[in-house]
Amino acid sequence: MRVDSKQIQQHNERGLAKHASRFSFLQSELGNLDAIIEKLMKFQVAIPSWALGTGGTRFGRFPGPGEPGSLEQKLDDVGLLHALNKSSGAISLHIPWDIPKDYAAIRKQAAELELKFDAVNSNTFQDQPGQAHSYKFGSLQHVNKATRKQAIDHNIEVIKHGVELGSESLTVWLADGSTFPGQLNFRKAFQNTLESLEEIYAALPADWKMFVEYKAFEPNFYSMTVGDWGQSLLYANKLGPKAKTLVDLGHHLPNANIEQIVALLLMEGKLAGFHFNDSKYGDDDLTVGSIKPYQLFLIFNELVEGMDANGMDHAKDLGWMIDASHNVKDPLEDLLQSVEAIMMAYAHALLMDRKALNAAQENNDVVAAQELLKQTFHTDVRALVAEARLRSGAALNPLQFFREEKIREALTKERGTNTIATGL
Ligand code: AFD
Ligand code: MN
Ligand code: MN
């Protein structure tokens, strides 16, 4: 199903008066906002193919109505999101869950929907039917060379799929690790993993990057072989300039200072980008900004400071992606909320008075520094983000549009309530 631009125009006409008064108040408070709006319009968040349906938890999944049952339908769903917010212009595929049957057709569909293919994700955390060697005891770390070889070949296969689609990065997340003390020789596991990653790195096309994603625990609960930002950075530095560290917000021990990690990785030029989500306890994959919106702002505050210090293009030089899974929400509504939260955090970070913040820091004026953060965080930027959508030809209020136009009902009519074809 495709959204008609006339429907969006009518939606916007209905909401324009209220929006205009809110936006003009913001301008009266903050001055000319065009430069910030330009940046917001350029900022695109990649949508994970596996988040378009109910992912559920390890205790069960409750598929919802009208969820996608094919890669084509997943692409249509991302196209729908992008039509509504013009900030979801890319999809990230997971192989082998999303192997296209017809590359030309998929590329054509993506182009029609104004979508790019973001990073491709390999999967050596599940055994596939007919696989010769099991990943039960790990993949790139495995004590058995043939198992490592199989996992290396899979990653090189994933790169080939990505090249066919115009992707330019491979994300490697390893579930490898150990569940009990004594199970693994930590040094051998690191060496095996590094040598395996080196073989994959050697197969990267010249203009590609490799994102080494870390995770503190789960599915291994005693050690992870890429368990924290330090280990990921160690691999990335040993691999070379095309390898970077990917920060999944849900992959830290509770209360980790993620904004400090981000600042230092940016300083080193080794930050790949993000898998955005939110969490209260672990890799809960909750809606971005639903639990710790202030942390999200603090992360973006470091990002804008670090990217500007490095002269980076905010929209192009890092990987911006959601990695979440849903159990009780409509996946598309959840994703609309997530993108909105990201855009608000980015808008807040762009509004920060960096000169004043740096002066407060230089003077050890802790209260002034905190006041600056709080004042900015409590500025209602919804009208600013909405204005960027309006100027991009998107909906003033995507979630309201989604419900007004009964999009989920239309998708259900079209698709029925089928369970999604995904590995989660
Ligand atoms: C996992 C990891 C990794 C993986 C994704 C899909 O974050 O990014 O590719 O979820 O399973 O938690
Ligand atoms: Mn992730
Ligand atoms: Mn995750």
Side-chain angles (χ1 to χ4, degrees), residues 164-309:
E164 283 295 313
L165 295 165
S167 176
E168 290 169 354
S169 46
L170 167 73
T171 298
V172 182
W173 172 67
L174 298 174
D176 293 26
S178 61
T179 299
F180 295 97
Q183 178 183 340
L184 265 192
N185 175 303
F186 293 132
R187 287 184 299 285
K188 281 191 190 142
F190 182 93
Q191 273 308 331
N192 285 342
T193 304
L194 177 62
E195 281 156 25
S196 304
L197 286 171
E198 281 166 346
E199 276 197 53
I200 300 164
Y201 186 89
L204 286 174
D207 57 348
W208 269 53
K209 290 199 187 78
M210 177 197 272
F211 298 165
V212 182
E213 182 174 1
Y214 62 88
K215 184 171 180 182
F217 62 93
E218 187 191 33
N220 275 295
F221 293 101
Y222 173 67
S223 73
M224 294 287 278
T225 300
V226 190
D228 61 28
W229 75 280
Q231 292 170 40
S232 170
L233 182 61
L234 197 53
Y235 287 112
N237 281 338
K238 287 174 181 288
L239 287 167
K242 294 193 285 191
K244 310 251 179 183
T245 292
L246 186 116
V247 178
D248 183 308
L249 297 192
H251 287 193
H252 301 83
L253 295 176
N255 305 319
N257 188 324
I258 302 175
E259 55 270 30
Q260 182 185 23
I261 294 169
V262 165
L264 298 182
L265 286 173
L266 256 180
M267 182 181 74
E268 290 299 298
K270 291 300 255 186
L271 177 64
F274 292 85
H275 281 179
F276 289 113
N277 45 56
D278 211 339
S279 67
K280 189 151 179 65
Y281 302 106
D283 189 22
D284 313 334
D285 280 347
L286 301 177
T287 315
V288 182
S290 61
I291 308 288
K292 295 175 274 199
Y294 190 56
Q295 171 183 271
L296 187 65
F297 161 58
L298 293 177
I299 289 168
F300 266 91
N301 183 46
E302 293 303 332
L303 278 167
V304 169
E305 164 126 1
M307 287 192 287
D308 290 351

Side-chain angles (χ1 to χ4, degrees), residues 320-342:
W320 308 110
M321 189 180 128
I322 288 167
D323 177 6
S325 175
H326 318 288
N327 198 28
V328 295
K329 279 187 178 179
D330 178 300
L332 293 179
E333 291 191 336
D334 181 294
L335 289 163
L336 288 172
Q337 290 180 313
S338 287
V339 172
E340 173 84 352
I342 292 165

